[in-house]
Amino acid sequence: MTCRSVLRSLVCGAAVLLAASAGAQTALDDVLAKKTITIAIPTDFPPYGFVGTDLQPQGLDIDMAKLIAARLGVKAELVPVTSANRVAYLQTKKADLVISTLGRNAEREKVIDFTVAYSPFFQAVFGPKTIAVKTPADLAGKTVAVTRGAMEDLELGKIAPAGLDVKRFEDNNGTVAAYVSGQVQLMATGASVAGNVMARNPQLGTEFKLLLKDSPNFIGVAKGEDKLRLKVNDIIAEAKKSGELDKMAVKWLGRPAGELP
C-alpha cells in the first residue's frame, strides 16, 4: 500500500469515526424534533412518585420531569417503571431520561450516564408537628421507632443522646405500625417510607424533624448522550439557582434540597 493510500484510509477512517460520534448523540435533537420527551418515573414510591386520587402520577420526580419538559419546550410523556427495569428503559431507548430516585454508583455508570443531582434521598427522624425536635439533644426523653439493623438504625445510634428510648422492630411495617398507632412518639426511617405514612395518615401531621443521612438522586441518561445530559444539567442548575429545587423538596419531603453534588 502506498503512502497516499495509507493517508486516504486514515482520513476516511477518521471521517467515519466522527460521523458515528456525531450520529450517536441524537437524543436531544430527536426530542426537540418530535416535541416530546419520554421520561421514566416511579408510581409506587411516595413521595417521589405515586398515583394520586385522580389516578394521575404525582410526586417530586413527576414535578421534576414536568419542569424539564417545560424548559425544553416539549411535552412530557411519562412512563411508569420499577426499580428493576428503569435502567433497561434507557438502554433500549424506551425512555430519554429516567427520573426515579436513581442513585449513582460505579456499577450503573458502566451502562448509563448521570446528570448532576436534583433531589435528596435521606434517612431521618420524623414525627408530628406537635413535638419539637431541632437537634439530637431534643430526642432525650422521647421514644423513637426504627427498623433493626437498617441504615437509619445505625445512623441514629451515632447521635442518640442519653435518655432516648429506641424501640426496634424487625421490618418497616412494624416500625410504621408502632408510630401510626401511637406506641412511639417518633420514627427514624427513609424518606420514601415516611412519605407513604404522610400520604396515608394526614391526620398525624407527620413532618421531617432531623436528618440522619443524605443520599442524593440523579437523572439517568443513555450512555454517550452528552448533549442531552449537559442540557438537563443546565436546567437543574437554573432551577437550583432560582430556588425551584428547594420549593419542590419542601413540598414533597418537608425540607429544602440543600447542597447537592
Side-chain angles (χ1 to χ4, degrees), residues 165-245:
D165 185 7
V166 180
K167 304 292 187 183
R168 292 181 171 84
F169 298 86
E170 297 308 312
D171 55 32
N172 284 333
N173 289 335
T175 299
V176 169
Y179 172 71
V180 172
S181 65
Q183 295 178 47
V184 296
Q185 296 169 288
L186 306 163
M187 65 175 174
T189 189
S192 59
V193 173
N196 199 24
V197 171
M198 293 176 192
R200 294 186 177 186
N201 305 275
Q203 76 283 0
L204 296 178
T206 304
E207 65 179 11
F208 169 87
K209 295 294 185 183
L210 191 66
L211 180 67
L212 295 175
K213 185 176 178 62
D214 226 336
S215 305
N217 295 316
F218 299 80
I219 297 174
V221 186
K223 203 72 178 172
E225 291 291 352
D226 294 334
K227 286 172 63 177
L228 178 58
R229 180 178 59 81
L230 294 174
K231 182 63 177 177
V232 173
N233 278 351
D234 288 342
I235 293 171
I236 294 173
E238 291 173 7
K240 185 175 182 178
K241 185 177 180 180
S242 69
E244 287 175 283
L245 291 190

Side-chain angles (χ1 to χ4, degrees), residues 39-50 57-69 76-81 83 86 97-103 117-121 192 215-220 245 248-249 251-253:
I39 302 177
I41 50 95
T43 54
D44 59 352
F45 209 67
Y48 294 92
F50 59 100
Q58 59 179 286
L60 191 153
D61 287 354
I62 284 73
D63 282 359
M64 191 69 214
K66 291 178 178 178
L67 183 146
I68 289 173
E77 180 182 338
L78 305 179
V79 181
V81 291
S83 295
R86 54 190 173 175
L97 300 173
V98 169
I99 306 179
S100 180
T101 59
L102 197 60
Y118 69 95
S119 75
F121 186 87
S192 59
S215 305
N217 295 316
F218 299 80
I219 297 174
L245 291 190
M248 212 177 290
K251 174 183 176 182
W252 294 108
L253 304 175

Side-chain angles (χ1 to χ4, degrees), residues 87 91 103-114 223:
V87 170
Q91 295 175 301
R104 183 174 184 172
N105 59 44
E107 194 64 27
R108 286 176 179 159
E109 285 185 314
K110 294 177 183 177
V111 292
I112 65 172
D113 290 333
F114 294 89
K223 203 72 178 172

